Amino acid sequence: MSGTNHTLELVKNGPAIVLVEPQLGENIGMVARAMANFGLADLRLVNPRDGWPSEKARAAASRADHIIDAVSVFATLDEAIGDLNHVYATTARQRDMIKPVLTPREASIEMHQLGDEGRNIGILFGRERWGLENDEVSVAEKIITFPVNPAFASLNIAQAVLLVAYEWMNCETKASELHFERKQPIPAERKTLTAFLDYLENALDEAHYFHPPAKRDRMRMNLHNIFVHAELQELEIHTLHGVIAALERRWMKRSSG
C-alpha cells in the first residue's frame, strides 16, 4: 500500500472536526493544517464569526487547501451534527453533568472501533475565548479532556485539534487489534434524534411540564442527556414518536369529553 493510499484510507475513516463559532480565520487555517498532518479531512464550521470563505484561513493552512476547499458551514450545531451517529465534546473545564470522560488516546481507540463499523463520528471544539456552552456539551455522549497543567490549562483550538488528531492517527494500529467481539447496533443520526427531542419538548410544553419557567433550560438539558446517553436506533425513536402521539390523542380525547 502506498503512502498516498494510506492517507486516503485514514481520511475516509476519520472523525469530523466541528468548530463551534470560531472567531479567527487564522485559527481555522491552523486547525486545517493540523488535520492534514494527521490524515483528517472533514472540517465543519458552525456560524464562524468573520464569515466564510476566509483568505486568512487559507494562508494559515499552509497548503492544506484540500481541507479549506471542502469546509462545510452551518448556521446551527444541530445542522452540523445531523448526519452523525456519535459525538464527542472537548473541554478542559469541569461540567455539571454526568458523562464519561476520556483522554484523547482513549477516545481515539474507541473512534477507530466505531469507524470500522461504519458509524459517522464528530468531535466538537468550542470558541477560542470560552469553549463550548453546557447545552452544546449536552449533545455529546462523551467528553474528551486533556491532561494539562491545571495552573495553565488553556489550549487554543488548533492545539486541541492537533492533540486529538495525533492520537487518532497514532492509535490506528492499536485499534485494529481491539475490535468489538460483536457489532453493536448503530445509533440514529443526530437529525433524527433532534427532531424527536423537538417533538417531545413541544408535547411537554403543552402538558406544562417545564415548571417553574426559571428551571426550563436545566430540565431541558437533563432530558437531552438522557436520550443522548441511550444511543437510540432509528426504529426506537420512531416507536417513541408513536408512544407520545398516542398519549397526546388520549389526553385530547379526555379533555374534549
Side-chain angles (χ1 to χ4, degrees):
M1 180 181 293
S2 69
T4 301
N5 289 338
H6 186 62
T7 299
L8 290 174
E9 181 181 348
L10 288 173
V11 168
K12 179 180 178 181
N13 293 329
I17 300 299
V18 184
L19 306 185
V20 179
E21 297 186 353
Q23 296 166 279
L24 298 175
E26 294 91 335
N27 285 338
I28 298 171
M30 287 188 287
V31 165
R33 181 177 182 178
M35 292 172 62
N37 287 150
F38 298 105
L40 302 182
D42 186 354
L43 177 57
R44 307 181 184 193
L45 309 180
V46 179
N47 191 26
R49 185 190 68 180
D50 295 337
W52 192 262
S54 167
E55 288 307 313
K56 291 181 178 179
R58 186 176 295 277
S62 188
R63 297 191 299 277
D65 293 330
H66 63 292
I67 295 178
I68 296 295
D69 291 339
V71 163
S72 301
V73 182
F74 301 87
T76 67
L77 177 57
D78 284 342
E79 293 171 345
I81 65 174
D83 64 329
L84 303 179
N85 305 113
H86 295 275
V87 178
Y88 297 78
T90 60
T91 179
R93 292 188 285 119
Q94 183 72 31
R95 303 286 180 160
D96 185 23
M97 60 184 76
I98 300 173
K99 289 185 183 293
V101 178
L102 306 177
T103 65
R105 182 167 302 177
E106 292 167 338
S108 295
I109 292 175
E110 183 173 283
M111 285 188 285
H112 272 287
Q113 294 170 329
L114 296 171
D116 286 346
E117 294 189 349
R119 308 187 188 204
N120 297 324
I121 305 158
I123 310 172
L124 309 184
F125 295 84
R127 303 153 189 82
E128 289 92 328
R129 292 184 63 186
W130 68 88
L132 295 167
E133 303 283 2
N134 280 342
D135 62 338
E136 293 161 349
V137 175
S138 73
V139 307
E141 292 100 332
K142 298 181 180 180
I143 289 173
I144 299 174
T145 194
F146 306 95
V148 294
N149 177 5
F152 197 79
S154 176
L155 292 173
N156 68 38
I157 53 175
Q159 290 173 322
V161 171
L162 184 71
L163 287 172
V164 173
Y166 166 77
E167 291 293 359
W168 184 83
M169 188 173 189
N170 191 44
C171 288
E172 180 198 13
T173 302
K174 297 173 184 176
S176 66
E177 300 169 355
L178 295 172
H179 295 293
F180 291 134
E181 291 183 5
R182 62 184 180 88
K183 289 190 175 183
Q184 303 296 319
I186 297 178
E189 291 184 349
R190 284 314 175 93
K191 59 188 175 185
T192 304
L193 179 59
T194 298
F196 165 71
L197 289 172
D198 288 343
Y199 179 50
L200 176 61
E201 286 176 30
N202 288 334
L204 292 173
D205 275 329
E206 291 289 330
H208 306 291
Y209 170 78
F210 297 110
H211 184 80
K215 294 185 177 181
R216 187 183 195 282
D217 287 345
R218 184 65 190 175
M219 296 170 73
R220 177 179 173 274
M221 187 185 302
N222 288 339
L223 278 173
H224 279 232
N225 280 328
I226 289 171
F227 287 101
V228 166
H229 290 162
E231 298 187 5
L232 298 171
Q233 300 169 61
E234 296 275 346
L235 180 59
E236 292 173 325
I237 290 178
H238 292 318
T239 298
L240 288 173
H241 263 288
V243 169
I244 296 170
L247 292 173
E248 285 184 310
R249 289 193 298 270
R250 181 184 180 191
W251 181 81
M252 291 176 63
K253 182 177 180 181
R254 292 178 63 180
S255 298
S256 62

